[in-house]
Amino acid sequence: SEGLREVVEARAEQLRETDLLLVCNGQWIGETDPCLLFGMRGVVHMELEVAGGRSELHSGIDGGTVYEPMADLLQILASLSRPDGRVLVPGFYD
């Protein structure tokens, strides 16, 4: 949010024992009337690296004898959620 850093820094002493600062980017009905939010969706950022052999392998010669990194990556991504969108990562909904 615009100005958030300045507010937090200016009130650092008041926020000294704060464990969490939650900023909800909700809508306002008017200049002085905010909406009450009952639920929010979030964003999860993560990085995943899948590596294969140290050299390129020819699928006609080596196919089937080694795992394919792209196939492994697809399997990992497919295991993160169900077709209906329900997340399958343990602890996600905690």
Side-chain angles (χ1 to χ4, degrees):
S1 292
E2 189 173 319
L4 177 63
R5 179 183 300 273
E6 291 81 10
V7 171
V8 171
E9 288 173 354
R11 299 184 181 268
E13 183 58 32
Q14 291 172 305
L15 298 170
R16 181 172 36 90
E17 295 186 32
T18 301
D19 293 322
L20 173 72
L21 180 63
L22 177 64
V23 178
C24 297
N25 188 19
Q27 299 296 318
W28 286 64
I29 297 171
E31 290 291 318
T32 59
D33 301 312
C35 290
L36 181 61
L37 300 174
F38 288 96
M40 299 275 304
R41 290 184 178 192
V43 177
V44 175
H45 295 276
M46 65 179 73
E47 195 170 302
L48 177 65
E49 181 177 330
V50 177
R54 293 189 176 153
S55 63
E56 292 187 27
L57 302 172
H58 188 277
S59 62
I61 298 170
D62 303 299
T65 60
V66 295
Y67 290 105
E68 294 285 341
M70 181 61 74
D72 293 341
L73 179 59
L74 291 172
Q75 183 66 37
I76 291 168
L77 293 175
S79 72
L80 297 177
S81 65
R82 294 191 319 213
D84 65 359
R86 176 112 179 128
V87 177
L88 298 175
V89 176
F92 183 83
Y93 294 103
D94 294 347

